[in-house]
Amino acid sequence: MLTVIPFSCITFLVASTLAISSEVFKERNHLLTQESCNLSLQLIAEIHSYQSIATRIMDTAINGDFKGRTYDELAKFVDKHINRLTGTPELEASIDYMMTKMMMDGLVNVRGEDVTVPRWIRGEEKATMVEPTVKSLRISGLGPSVGTPAEGLVGEVIVVRTWEELEEKKDLVNGKIVVYNQGWLGSYGATSQYRGNGPARAAEFGAIAALIESATPFSLDTPHTGGTNYDPSPNVTRIPGACITREDAEMLYRIYNRGDKIVINLTMLDQELAPVLSRNAFGEIQGRSFPDEIVAVSGHVDAWDVGQGAMDDAGGVLISTEALALIKHLGLVPRRTMQAILWTAEEFGLVGAQAFVNEHKADMIKYNAVFESDIGTFKPRGLDFSGHEEAGCIVQEVLKLTSAMNSTAYARYDVVGSDIFFMIQEGVPGISLNTENELYFYYHHSPADMITVLKSDELDMNTALWATVSYVLADLSVPLPRESATNEHTKIPLPH
Amino acid sequence: MLTVIPFSCITFLVASTLAISSEVFKERNHLLTQESCNLSLQLIAEIHSYQSIATRIMDTAINGDFKGRTYDELAKFVDKHINRLTGTPELEASIDYMMTKMMMDGLVNVRGEDVTVPRWIRGEEKATMVEPTVKSLRISGLGPSVGTPAEGLVGEVIVVRTWEELEEKKDLVNGKIVVYNQGWLGSYGATSQYRGNGPARAAEFGAIAALIESATPFSLDTPHTGGTNYDPSPNVTRIPGACITREDAEMLYRIYNRGDKIVINLTMLDQELAPVLSRNAFGEIQGRSFPDEIVAVSGHVDAWDVGQGAMDDAGGVLISTEALALIKHLGLVPRRTMQAILWTAEEFGLVGAQAFVNEHKADMIKYNAVFESDIGTFKPRGLDFSGHEEAGCIVQEVLKLTSAMNSTAYARYDVVGSDIFFMIQEGVPGISLNTENELYFYYHHSPADMITVLKSDELDMNTALWATVSYVLADLSVPLPRESATNEHTKIPLPH
């Protein structure tokens, strides 16, 4: 079983080519020790003075006017906007829908900001083992995989379990389809490197396609999509890459190791088109004292085109917009501005998030904190934090206001979240939702990421947690202390 | 979570039309109280005298020459013979393979006995919700569903959760596709009635097709196939029936209840052809004293054409053949004949099993006991029993020989097993494998029924349990006491 998953669900980072993989985050996602907190008694008292407001917010979300609303709004959203793949008109329609919803909920400054995003289309995809016996294999092509020829390709198969095994067999790879049966290696970061780098590394040895075991600890013949990194060098061939199911990867490994020749017929009519415009979307409650200071809550609106992307990440989007709608509904007006950010093109490499920080570098100082939910909106445990130690102490103290929900778990990491990475890098305190997400990777990037996996009362609790903590941080007399503007500790290392 | 599942995995019974559903078994599958046993001290001592042989059998299976063999042989079998659907040449090839294997393992009287079985072919199957938004729906057509026209059919959808709701909405059904979103009703028997009777009952009110939520407590967008019962009356229309996933059933229910019009485009090129010949297969170790008395171990060789049918029921077949191979390997020759029976066409209504009893009614008296494994070959708990109370006492005592494996759980029911029902009805003591099968219905009749779900060491334990108990029963100085030849208590009630 998985335990807490404090790292991001993102797949890879792109600038213009897909270069920096999520392992960067995984490896750098270190738990930091936090010395005992020395907040002033006055500040502690001020935080505790919010208890009645916190209780009112939680009551409204869990028992009052907003009871069940997050689930209902989420269901309406994902049932109507099932496909929100980066670069599609469907994604843009879903962003329009969310902007309209924010306006109807009374948020202000509702706007989209243009971002150029990749456009990759999943075409017909099918794979059939034709030797030594016939079996249809479920596949899920990896963004931004190239397609096969229209008539498909037929190749003999070589199966490996590790990079070392690929290296050992490299002289056998030319002209073949490489299948990776790496298993679940204890974490998503360790496992997904085979998806992230498998096609490129097989191509180095002349493979014609790569099929990678899905990155999940549990499968019901379930293929999981995700991103893959091609070698940016123009003289390295881009070969088609897709995930197969754990069951089929194991079967192919067994057959291969019996010495039987395996032949697979693979058709993937996927294609990458020219980049198009998408939008990050924003909506706000204007602050009454410091309107230029911002506490933001966020999630990403794009999703892979399998399932509904309910968990990854419509849940994060909806608890963010509902949290602000709830604050607005209660007539609360905090000192600072509260902002909901709906990121675009997260799945294709945090494209929207990176563009936002690039465009608004000078505005980063205005952000008092940025929240992100992108590892499932299951039953909340608490929050993870990245930033100045004293700021963490304040967040930890504010979290105590939610003790009625038993959601006060707190940990400090060097980096949290996915899209908010770039803001954290600019010194913005980052906050990530921590939930009971042990089954997260069962559903992740698969057709099973449907709203079925989420529960109405748990979503209410997440909205309550989100609203309570963001409101209090936005209203405190003092801003969160922050790291220096460029934090050496959280710089992305250059790829090699 | 499921607890013990003492009932059969069968779907429905056929004579020539599909008439008697598995609920018959479910409802009649009552736990019987067993008075304290009064076996003679002499018989108890005799049973205990087998401990050293039992230990030798278990050691050979678990640590010795047969360690890992059941899994390996099962893997070879299911990887080579993936599709074993009733009526197909592939099923017949797999039966040939198993007969050859039994011969190579030194079994005698290896033979097939002809059985006429239905022939149903799954053609292309696809469903797409086209209104109010577009989503592809995974489906799994139900045997022996009729197909749609070649170009598919398009219909507005009505969604119900219960038979009562269908009845209330019956005036709306004409010309529509009925979707059942019944949920998991706590047991397979309760849930699968919607699959078994849903198309027929929707057809009564003029529906053009029926889509039924898959019968499973857990789904990863997983469709589960199975059988459905058409009304045998020639003037009732047979409409196409398929299972959809739990996620999609819930989504359709949500959308329907928002008042949005749902339209589904359904194509099922399934067809029923003329019946063909298949075979029940047999292999034996000849008894040294009473060769005409038989202790049989069994499983069914046919499977649905999704996944590998590894759990349902190649595992049952392999532990049966491996148990006899192991006894043979050890050079043990019991007093009575030991027989492996590989049933055909279980999934299409216990066709092989019923034909066998019809053909061999007079031979039923020769059967001292019949074992069946058809609810998963997971970690063994023990055995379930149906028959004379004193016979149960003997089985319970023999089970104690396997206490080293902690597999001595015992319970007595009026009926156990699926294929062995007809033999039990003729008075043959019936024994069914009881395993830790809590996840059985996650995989059942789905593409996830792959050997991945089974474990080598657990299969070894099942083979050990099967071999030990069947050998001792075949070698005891006394036969199992039995019920009278026609047991009123286990008669199938006529359908109404």
Side-chain angles (χ1 to χ4, degrees):
Chain A
M1 286 302 244
L2 287 170
T3 51
V4 190
I5 299 154
F7 54 89
S8 142
C9 80
I10 67 144
T11 306
F12 52 83
L13 274 171
V14 279
S16 56
T17 56
L18 315 167
I20 307 167
S21 79
S22 65
E23 289 90 86
V24 172
F25 289 92
K26 179 70 189 112
E27 282 158 21
R28 295 181 61 79
N29 212 353
H30 294 305
L31 188 63
L32 303 179
T33 55
Q34 181 151 308
E35 303 300 322
S36 57
C37 288
N38 291 307
L39 299 180
S40 72
L41 289 179
Q42 193 186 351
L43 182 53
I44 291 176
E46 185 191 343
I47 291 171
H48 289 193
S49 76
Y50 284 95
Q51 186 64 64
S52 64
I53 286 180
T55 301
R56 192 164 152 230
I57 292 172
M58 290 186 287
D59 259 1
T60 305
I62 293 168
N63 306 309
D65 292 349
F66 271 57
K67 180 179 167 59
R69 217 184 94 146
T70 305
Y71 182 93
D72 290 345
E73 293 294 332
L74 176 57
K76 272 199 286 190
F77 178 61
V78 297
D79 290 344
K80 189 173 175 69
H81 299 285
I82 295 172
N83 176 20
R84 303 189 304 282
L85 189 68
T86 292
T88 60
E90 292 89 343
L91 172 61
E92 298 314 298
S94 80
I95 294 170
D96 289 340
Y97 176 98
M98 285 308 305
M99 285 168 62
T100 303
K101 174 172 155 44
M102 287 193 285
M103 283 189 269
M104 290 174 65
D105 287 338
L107 305 191
V108 296
N109 286 334
V110 173
R111 64 193 183 278
E113 291 190 359
D114 284 354
V115 183
T116 301
V117 299
R119 171 87 165 115
W120 173 78
I121 300 175
R122 189 185 304 280
E124 185 190 359
E125 294 180 333
K126 62 178 182 181
T128 309
M129 174 173 72
V130 292
E131 286 185 39
T133 183
V134 177
K135 182 182 190 293
S136 155
L137 313 173
R138 287 189 80 196
I139 62 171
S140 201
L142 306 177
S145 176
V146 298
T148 63
E151 69 280 12
L153 58 80
V154 177
E156 194 180 333
V157 167
I158 183 164
V159 189
V160 300
R161 286 199 156 164
T162 60
W163 297 127
E164 293 68 35
E165 216 176 321
L166 177 68
E167 192 68 32
E168 282 162 23
K169 299 201 167 85
K170 66 182 176 188
D171 295 340
L172 304 172
V173 168
N174 193 46
K176 303 229 173 70
I177 296 173
V178 171
V179 169
Y180 295 93
N181 171 218
Q182 81 282 344
W184 174 252
L185 302 173
S187 77
Y188 179 65
T191 308
S192 65
Q193 61 170 311
Y194 283 88
R195 184 189 74 213
N197 304 314
R201 293 188 64 170
E204 278 177 41
F205 303 136
I208 57 171
L211 298 172
I212 301 102
E213 181 177 359
S214 291
T216 179
F218 182 79
S219 175
L220 292 176
D221 192 49
T222 319
H224 297 242
T225 188
T228 198
N229 304 302
Y230 283 126
D231 189 318
S233 156
N235 51 10
V236 174
T237 311
R238 297 179 169 216
I239 62 172
C243 274
I244 56 176
T245 70
R246 294 204 62 176
E247 291 90 336
D248 285 337
E250 290 174 16
M251 178 191 71
L252 293 168
Y253 186 78
R254 286 193 303 271
I255 296 175
Y256 180 77
N257 281 287
R258 283 184 205 120
D260 290 337
K261 181 181 171 186
I262 303 173
V263 176
I264 286 178
N265 193 335
L266 178 71
T267 303
M268 291 171 60
L269 304 186
D270 308 332
Q271 45 183 322
E272 203 171 6
L273 306 179
V276 293
L277 283 184
S278 181
R279 292 159 292 166
N280 294 318
F282 304 81
E284 294 174 356
I285 295 171
Q286 198 81 8
R288 71 175 194 276
S289 309
F290 315 113
D292 276 355
E293 292 185 25
I294 303 167
V295 170
V297 288
S298 74
H300 66 85
V301 69
D302 68 298
W304 288 102
D305 56 330
V306 290
Q308 295 182 317
M311 179 193 81
D312 182 12
D313 183 29
V317 167
L318 266 292
I319 66 166
S320 296
T321 54
E322 287 301 303
L324 263 61
L326 190 155
I327 296 297
K328 184 79 195 167
H329 173 76
L330 290 179
L332 296 169
V333 184
R335 287 189 173 93
R336 292 174 196 79
T337 291
M338 296 179 74
Q339 185 180 72
I341 311 179
L342 282 46
W343 307 107
T344 190
E346 191 266 358
E347 299 292 6
F348 276 77
L350 313 178
V351 181
Q354 187 161 35
F356 174 69
V357 172
N358 288 349
E359 284 277 311
H360 295 277
K361 212 156 244 185
D363 297 328
M364 288 302 110
I365 195 69
K366 298 178 180 171
Y367 280 85
N368 202 241
V370 61
F371 290 54
E372 183 178 50
S373 166
D374 189 22
I375 51 173
T377 41
F378 302 97
K379 190 172 181 205
R381 287 196 189 101
L383 299 175
D384 292 332
F385 179 75
S386 172
H388 192 286
E389 196 169 353
E390 194 185 327
C393 287
I394 294 174
V395 170
Q396 198 172 3
E397 201 63 39
V398 173
L399 258 179
K400 291 178 185 166
L401 300 170
T402 72
S403 60
M405 296 195 300
N406 199 20
S407 58
T408 58
Y410 169 86
R412 183 165 164 253
Y413 293 91
D414 57 349
V415 178
V416 297
S418 51
D419 285 293
I420 62 176
F421 172 81
F422 304 103
M423 295 180 75
I424 290 172
Q425 204 189 9
E426 296 298 318
V428 179
I431 292 172
S432 174
L433 182 63
N434 172 4
T435 69
E436 293 182 1
N437 63 356
E438 284 75 7
L439 302 190
Y440 185 76
F441 289 110
Y442 285 31
Y443 313 116
H444 180 251
H445 293 186
S446 89
D449 183 358
M450 301 279 285
I451 192 174
T452 297
V453 306
L454 299 172
K455 296 197 174 79
S456 186
D457 58 338
E458 295 180 356
L459 284 160
D460 286 343
M461 291 170 77
N462 285 318
T463 297
L465 177 64
W466 228 225
T468 303
V469 180
S470 63
Y471 172 77
V472 174
L473 293 182
D475 198 56
L476 276 183
S477 61
V478 293
L480 287 185
R482 64 198 293 163
E483 310 272 355
S484 59
T486 298
N487 176 0
E488 287 300 319
H489 295 296
T490 55
K491 262 196 173 162
I492 310 182
L494 288 174
H496 30 246
Chain B
M1 288 303 245
L2 286 171
T3 51
V4 189
I5 301 153
F7 54 89
S8 144
C9 79
I10 67 143
T11 305
F12 52 83
L13 273 171
V14 279
S16 55
T17 56
L18 315 167
I20 308 168
S21 80
S22 63
E23 289 91 85
V24 172
F25 289 93
K26 180 69 190 113
E27 283 159 18
R28 296 183 59 80
N29 212 353
H30 294 305
L31 188 63
L32 303 179
T33 55
Q34 181 151 306
E35 304 300 323
S36 57
C37 288
N38 292 309
L39 299 180
S40 72
L41 291 180
Q42 192 186 355
L43 182 53
I44 292 174
E46 186 192 343
I47 291 170
H48 290 191
S49 76
Y50 283 95
Q51 186 64 64
S52 64
I53 286 179
T55 302
R56 195 167 149 229
I57 292 171
M58 292 187 285
D59 259 1
T60 304
I62 293 168
N63 307 307
D65 293 350
F66 271 57
K67 179 179 168 59
R69 217 184 95 147
T70 305
Y71 182 93
D72 290 345
E73 294 295 331
L74 176 57
K76 272 199 286 188
F77 178 62
V78 297
D79 289 344
K80 190 173 173 69
H81 300 285
I82 296 171
N83 176 19
R84 303 189 303 282
L85 189 69
T86 294
T88 60
E90 292 89 341
L91 172 61
E92 298 314 298
S94 81
I95 295 170
D96 289 339
Y97 176 98
M98 285 309 304
M99 286 169 61
T100 303
K101 176 174 154 41
M102 287 194 285
M103 283 190 267
M104 289 174 67
D105 287 338
L107 305 191
V108 297
N109 286 335
V110 173
R111 65 194 183 278
E113 291 190 0
D114 285 353
V115 183
T116 301
V117 300
R119 172 88 166 115
W120 173 78
I121 300 175
R122 188 186 305 280
E124 185 189 359
E125 294 179 333
K126 61 178 182 182
T128 308
M129 174 173 72
V130 291
E131 285 185 42
T133 184
V134 176
K135 183 183 189 292
S136 154
L137 313 173
R138 287 190 79 197
I139 61 170
S140 202
L142 306 178
S145 176
V146 296
T148 63
E151 69 280 12
L153 57 82
V154 177
E156 194 180 333
V157 166
I158 183 165
V159 189
V160 299
R161 284 199 157 165
T162 60
W163 296 128
E164 292 68 34
E165 217 176 319
L166 177 68
E167 191 69 32
E168 283 162 23
K169 299 200 166 84
K170 67 182 176 189
D171 295 338
L172 305 172
V173 168
N174 193 44
K176 302 229 175 68
I177 297 173
V178 171
V179 169
Y180 294 94
N181 171 218
Q182 79 283 344
W184 174 253
L185 303 173
S187 76
Y188 180 66
T191 308
S192 65
Q193 61 169 311
Y194 283 88
R195 185 189 74 214
N197 302 314
R201 293 187 64 170
E204 278 178 40
F205 303 135
I208 57 171
L211 298 173
I212 301 102
E213 181 177 359
S214 292
T216 179
F218 182 78
S219 174
L220 293 176
D221 192 47
T222 319
H224 296 242
T225 188
T228 198
N229 304 304
Y230 284 126
D231 189 317
S233 154
N235 49 10
V236 174
T237 310
R238 296 179 169 217
I239 63 171
C243 275
I244 56 176
T245 70
R246 294 203 63 175
E247 290 90 338
D248 284 338
E250 290 175 14
M251 178 191 70
L252 293 168
Y253 186 77
R254 285 193 305 272
I255 296 175
Y256 180 77
N257 281 287
R258 284 185 204 118
D260 290 336
K261 180 180 171 187
I262 303 173
V263 176
I264 286 177
N265 193 335
L266 178 71
T267 303
M268 292 171 59
L269 304 185
D270 307 332
Q271 46 183 320
E272 203 171 6
L273 305 179
V276 293
L277 283 185
S278 180
R279 292 157 292 166
N280 293 318
F282 305 81
E284 293 174 356
I285 294 171
Q286 198 78 7
R288 71 175 193 276
S289 309
F290 314 113
D292 276 355
E293 293 184 26
I294 303 168
V295 171
V297 287
S298 74
H300 67 84
V301 71
D302 69 298
W304 287 101
D305 56 331
V306 291
Q308 295 182 318
M311 181 193 80
D312 181 14
D313 184 30
V317 167
L318 266 292
I319 67 166
S320 296
T321 55
E322 287 300 304
L324 262 61
L326 189 154
I327 297 297
K328 184 77 196 167
H329 173 75
L330 291 178
L332 296 169
V333 184
R335 285 189 174 93
R336 292 175 195 79
T337 291
M338 295 178 75
Q339 185 179 71
I341 311 179
L342 282 46
W343 306 107
T344 191
E346 191 267 357
E347 299 293 6
F348 276 76
L350 312 178
V351 180
Q354 187 161 33
F356 174 70
V357 172
N358 288 349
E359 283 279 309
H360 294 279
K361 213 156 243 182
D363 296 329
M364 289 302 111
I365 195 69
K366 298 177 180 173
Y367 280 86
N368 201 242
V370 61
F371 291 54
E372 182 177 51
S373 165
D374 190 21
I375 50 172
T377 42
F378 302 97
K379 190 173 179 200
R381 288 198 188 100
L383 300 174
D384 293 331
F385 178 76
S386 172
H388 192 286
E389 196 169 354
E390 194 185 329
C393 288
I394 294 173
V395 170
Q396 197 171 5
E397 201 63 37
V398 173
L399 258 180
K400 293 178 184 166
L401 299 170
T402 72
S403 60
M405 295 196 300
N406 199 19
S407 59
T408 58
Y410 169 86
R412 182 164 165 254
Y413 294 90
D414 57 350
V415 177
V416 298
S418 50
D419 284 294
I420 61 176
F421 173 80
F422 304 102
M423 295 180 75
I424 290 171
Q425 203 188 11
E426 294 298 318
V428 179
I431 292 172
S432 175
L433 182 62
N434 171 3
T435 70
E436 293 182 3
N437 63 356
E438 284 75 5
L439 302 189
Y440 184 77
F441 288 110
Y442 285 33
Y443 312 116
H444 181 252
H445 292 188
S446 90
D449 184 357
M450 301 279 284
I451 191 174
T452 297
V453 305
L454 299 172
K455 296 197 176 79
S456 186
D457 58 339
E458 294 180 357
L459 283 160
D460 286 343
M461 290 168 77
N462 285 320
T463 297
L465 177 64
W466 228 225
T468 303
V469 180
S470 64
Y471 172 78
V472 174
L473 292 182
D475 198 56
L476 277 182
S477 62
V478 292
L480 288 184
R482 65 198 294 162
E483 310 271 358
S484 58
T486 296
N487 176 2
E488 288 300 320
H489 296 295
T490 55
K491 261 197 175 163
I492 308 183
L494 288 176
H496 32 245

